[in-house]
Amino acid sequence: MPTEDSVNRAMLQAWRTRGQLMLQHCRKCAAVTYYPRKRCPSCWSDALDNQPSGGQGTVISYSVVHRGVDEAFRQLGATVTLASVKTDEGPQIITLIVGDDRGEVAIGGRVKLAQGADPQRYPLPVYALADEAGGVP
């Protein structure tokens, strides 16, 4: 479970209450950042605003973990699909791919924030395949 603090509070609360991913936008240099920080990694300004992501992205890389899955992930099933997703806004996020069709994930494939994902089960934003018809497990 992530530890909530003043830097990541807006991002964590948006996920828990609205199923949104919040990204930081720098008012000085216009950089868009994920994960939440005190200062912009591009220009070191502290002029950061949290704005909701559109929730779409592209799989840059992924890995399917078949064994040795940590106890925290065992409730997800026999395998866990981890991915590096480049959000349409620019930042990359390491995330879980969830849903009944997660075995069809592919590099270059489109994903979206998983709607209806239980924030107790998934304390950080998770994605599903963009054309998924099934539900989040």
Side-chain angles (χ1 to χ4, degrees):
M1 296 296 282
T3 301
E4 186 175 313
D5 60 27
S6 62
V7 176
N8 67 14
R9 183 168 292 122
M11 188 269 300
L12 291 174
Q13 288 182 352
W15 174 247
R16 289 180 193 139
T17 61
R18 299 184 304 278
Q20 286 183 320
L21 170 62
M22 298 295 277
L23 299 174
Q24 288 181 318
H25 291 249
C26 180
R27 293 189 307 270
K28 186 171 181 182
C29 74
V32 182
T33 304
Y34 181 87
Y35 57 92
R37 306 158 200 227
K38 290 182 180 181
R39 297 198 172 273
C40 173
S42 295
C43 72
W44 298 102
S45 169
D46 63 357
L48 297 167
D49 291 323
N50 291 293
Q51 297 178 21
S53 164
Q56 301 279 321
T58 303
V59 175
I60 301 301
S61 179
Y62 73 95
S63 179
V64 178
V65 181
H66 292 275
R67 53 188 163 135
V69 176
D70 187 270
E71 185 65 36
F73 294 107
R74 286 204 181 119
Q75 65 178 337
L76 304 177
T79 64
V80 174
T81 304
L82 298 171
S84 175
V85 170
K86 183 173 183 178
T87 64
D88 287 354
E89 295 83 5
Q92 288 188 31
I93 177 172
I94 302 297
T95 187
L96 287 171
I97 302 296
V98 298
D100 297 336
D101 62 353
R102 68 183 180 271
E104 298 174 26
V105 67
I107 293 173
R110 296 289 292 165
V111 292
K112 63 181 178 183
L113 281 173
Q115 297 302 304
D118 177 4
Q120 293 301 316
R121 187 173 189 186
Y122 304 109
L124 292 170
V126 294
Y127 282 78
L129 300 184
D131 58 357
E132 176 187 87
V136 176

